[in-house]
Amino acid sequence: METLKAILTRRSIRKFTGKNIPEEIITKLLESAMYAPSARNTQPWHFIVINQRVILDKLPHVHPYAEMCYEASLAILVCGDTNIENLEGYIAVNCAAATQNILLTAHDLGLGSVWLGVYPRKERMEPLSKLFNLPQNIIPVSLVALGYPNEQINMPGRFKLERIHFNKW
Ligand SMILES: Cc1cc2nc3c(=O)[nH]c(=O)nc-3n(C[C@H](O)[C@H](O)[C@H](O)COP(=O)(O)O)c2cc1C
């Protein structure tokens, strides 16, 4: 798919068919995540791939808006490593760039996905860290639920001329 088309037509998908996602597609999602830009090219990310039903079903218990994980075939917890990047703000934006790459690649490959916010909400970070036994230096930043889409959402109008400022505010 052409890049601009992928960016404009990607939507958050929260209904999935339950069909299994092949391993080579999971690898492509993670490869695209690792090609995201990062400050000083530190690439401070780690990815927890969740494809076991029993663990996917635990996610709605540790995240208040993750009900779709009961239907999702896969989830990816994008984490940042404070041993690699010590500025938490940079960890968050670097992992956000990686997360967006996952969403766009998923769309390109015919999958649906939705970004579930984790960082900086302690009440989501703490139970997720506990569930996955994350070491002290690993911060969970975002959770992505994925699967083959079982809903179609049309492209909304979002272009706002009044948000664009040329050369001055
Ligand atoms: C930081 C962040 C956190 C989000 N958290 C959630 C969430 O907890 N649950 C959810 O269903 N969607 C979540 N979303 C998805 C947004 O609701 C969605 O991107 C927004 O409504 C725009 O729709 P679109 O993705 O279809 O363009 C999140 C998105 C971002 C970027």
Side-chain angles (χ1 to χ4, degrees):
M1 192 186 293
E2 190 219 331
T3 309
L4 181 59
K5 186 175 177 206
I7 290 168
L8 296 180
T9 59
R10 178 213 57 82
R11 295 278 70 77
S12 291
I13 297 298
R14 300 179 177 86
K15 291 188 168 69
F16 306 107
T17 64
K19 194 180 141 196
N20 201 39
I21 300 176
E23 213 176 293
E24 57 273 22
I25 291 208
I26 300 176
T27 304
K28 281 185 181 161
L29 295 169
L30 298 170
E31 184 183 25
S32 78
M34 293 186 205
Y35 272 84
S38 60
R40 289 177 283 112
N41 197 19
T42 49
Q43 303 165 42
W45 36 64
H46 290 261
F47 304 92
I48 301 196
V49 178
I50 306 148
N51 60 1
Q52 286 179 1
R53 187 75 267 151
V54 62
I55 310 178
L56 286 164
D57 287 350
K58 285 184 181 168
L59 295 174
H61 298 276
V62 292
H63 190 293
Y65 304 108
E67 287 286 305
M68 75 294 286
C69 290
Y70 288 126
E71 273 188 6
S73 307
L74 176 76
I76 298 174
L77 182 64
V78 182
C79 302
D81 188 335
T82 59
N83 287 348
I84 300 175
E85 169 59 70
N86 58 12
L87 272 181
E88 268 195 23
Y90 268 175
I91 287 206
V93 293
N94 294 333
C95 287
T99 304
Q100 176 73 349
N101 277 11
I102 294 173
L103 304 186
L104 289 173
T105 302
H107 182 45
D108 184 64
L109 298 176
L111 292 170
S113 67
V114 58
W115 177 331
L116 305 175
V118 177
Y119 182 89
R121 295 184 183 278
K122 297 274 179 248
E123 73 281 10
R124 299 181 193 178
M125 295 167 68
E126 281 165 11
L128 278 164
S129 298
K130 207 166 150 202
L131 180 61
F132 293 104
N133 214 1
L134 301 184
Q136 211 58 40
N137 56 305
I138 301 299
I139 300 178
V141 175
S142 56
L143 184 63
V144 184
L146 298 118
Y148 286 92
N150 205 6
E151 64 176 336
Q152 203 197 328
I153 298 171
N154 291 333
M155 191 179 140
R158 284 193 187 163
F159 185 71
K160 294 189 177 82
L161 267 178
E162 68 275 18
R163 298 288 182 91
I164 303 170
H165 313 269
F166 279 96
N167 301 314
K168 61 181 172 61
W169 183 259

